[in-house]
Amino acid sequence: RCIKCSRCVRFTREISGTAELMFVARGEREEIDIFPGEPCNNKLAGNVVDLCPVGALCSKDFLYKQRVWNLKTQRSVCADCSTGCSIWLDSNKNIVYRLRPRYNPQAQGHFMCDEGRLGYHYVNSIERFLRPMVRRDDRLTPLSWAEVVPAIRRMFQSAAQKDAASVVGVLSPFLTCEEAYLIAKFLKGLSGQVRLALGPVPVVGEDDTYPKDRRGRPLQPVKFTIHAEKCPNRRGVEEILRHFQGEIIAFDHVVRDAAAGRVQALYLAAGYPPRPGGWINEMQAQMFRYIPLIVCHDLLPSPVSNFAHYVLPGASWAEKEGTFVNHAGLAQALHWGVVPTGEVRTDGQVFLDLLERRGLLHAPTLRKELAAEVPYFAALAKGDLGEYGIPLNSEHSA
């Protein structure tokens, strides 16, 4: 199929800088090949598949999985790091099969990294929580949403009446801005003394910039950055916390308070994807073991879900609508590409139910409400973020 257009060769030389690809031979025997012993496995390598105009280069992850004309395509945002790459999410029969970069001059430009491109498989994982559960006799028992939501509401109301300062909500940087806003409204609605904290912010190594030279040293000007911060919405959640809590309480502070017996009710709005070591380690989880009331709202099993009193199934970024704010303060809209399986409800819908607000979650409407209440989000007042998103300016910029 190859027509010798050299787009893949130029990409590895001009964008990734690693230059693994080259032309070999001449005339009708000319073909694309790698330098001996140097496979094309840089962290941007998957982009050559998108660049190839004839399908001569294919992705092993997607090859022979689906016919492309059967796929349903939706605009979304990569949740793998704080770069916030705009993407196309391709799915069929409620299974995510492929992510592709979507051009955005305000975010990542034309490309995306392979970590984000191939990091979606946990969305389809058979290990995900599929129904709400309550712990009885040290075993998790399925419970209907009609029972579990009022029960959690009553128990947190009771805990706040006894000692509001001992009630803590942990907001994950994987929540959308709308979800963080709703859970903050619920918890702070119990009492102004309830504390809100930021969940663990996963950071892996240092920012990885491209292009590089043949020895792996970064070159200027930088054309693509894979950020070390491996979450999509720290900035958005932090602004919610600044508005409702007045400060950013770190997760380690919650762990210390739990160890000292100063936490009596804990809502963990997690939603973390699987990573080596997990979002919470065994030592931290042990500090929570003797808290009288723990709600773990998460995608997958974790050390804390092994003893939490309530375990609620969370929805992944591919299953919900909302807003992510990337490292540069660009607010972009998520659109669901697949629907939650089993009895899973989106996190925002659960928070609406806890607030006893009727109806289904509608992100543009909540966005307008958020913009009216939290000054940082005032630019989102129209509800529509457009194709490229809306930059947000703040004195707290990072």
Side-chain angles (χ1 to χ4, degrees), residues 349 352-353 355-361:
Q349 188 63 51
L352 276 178
D353 295 340
L355 285 164
E356 298 184 281
R357 291 174 57 166
R358 294 183 178 181
L360 299 176
L361 185 144

Side-chain angles (χ1 to χ4, degrees), residues 112-150:
M112 72 181 298
C113 76
D114 287 1
E115 292 177 358
R117 184 189 295 269
L118 305 176
Y120 67 88
H121 291 283
Y122 68 91
V123 175
N124 306 324
S125 173
I126 61 174
E127 296 182 1
R128 285 183 56 181
F129 295 126
L130 297 179
R131 57 188 58 86
M133 294 175 285
V134 62
R135 191 170 299 280
R136 292 172 178 163
D137 299 325
D138 204 31
R139 295 179 60 183
L140 286 174
T141 304
L143 203 64
S144 70
W145 285 110
E147 296 174 286
V148 73
V149 170

Side-chain angles (χ1 to χ4, degrees), residues 76-224:
S76 194
V77 181
C78 179
D80 201 69
C81 83
S82 62
T83 300
C85 293
S86 298
I87 62 171
W88 297 108
L89 187 157
D90 293 333
S91 65
N92 187 28
K93 297 181 179 179
N94 220 41
I95 297 175
V96 178
Y97 283 103
R98 183 174 66 173
L99 305 183
R100 295 175 291 130
R102 175 167 58 88
Y103 173 66
N104 188 341
Q106 299 189 101
Q108 87 288 359
H110 291 276
F111 310 112
M112 72 181 298
C113 76
D114 287 1
E115 292 177 358
R117 184 189 295 269
L118 305 176
Y120 67 88
H121 291 283
Y122 68 91
V123 175
N124 306 324
S125 173
I126 61 174
E127 296 182 1
R128 285 183 56 181
F129 295 126
L130 297 179
R131 57 188 58 86
M133 294 175 285
V134 62
R135 191 170 299 280
R136 292 172 178 163
D137 299 325
D138 204 31
R139 295 179 60 183
L140 286 174
T141 304
L143 203 64
S144 70
W145 285 110
E147 296 174 286
V148 73
V149 170
I152 291 173
R153 186 190 306 116
R154 287 195 302 269
M155 297 186 78
F156 271 83
Q157 287 171 342
S158 176
Q161 289 172 359
K162 292 178 182 178
D163 182 7
S166 69
V167 179
V168 178
V170 174
L171 279 59
S172 159
F174 286 85
L175 294 177
T176 66
C177 295
E178 293 82 0
E179 290 169 344
Y181 168 73
L182 290 173
I183 188 61
K185 289 277 283 187
F186 168 68
L187 292 171
K188 281 296 186 179
L190 301 175
S191 169
Q193 298 302 310
V194 171
R195 291 177 292 159
L196 302 177
L198 179 66
V201 177
V203 176
V204 180
E206 300 179 347
D207 290 355
D208 191 9
T209 63
Y210 291 84
K212 301 180 183 295
D213 64 16
R214 296 283 292 167
R215 296 183 179 180
R217 297 173 298 193
L219 301 173
Q220 297 292 332
V222 173
K223 298 180 180 179
F224 193 93

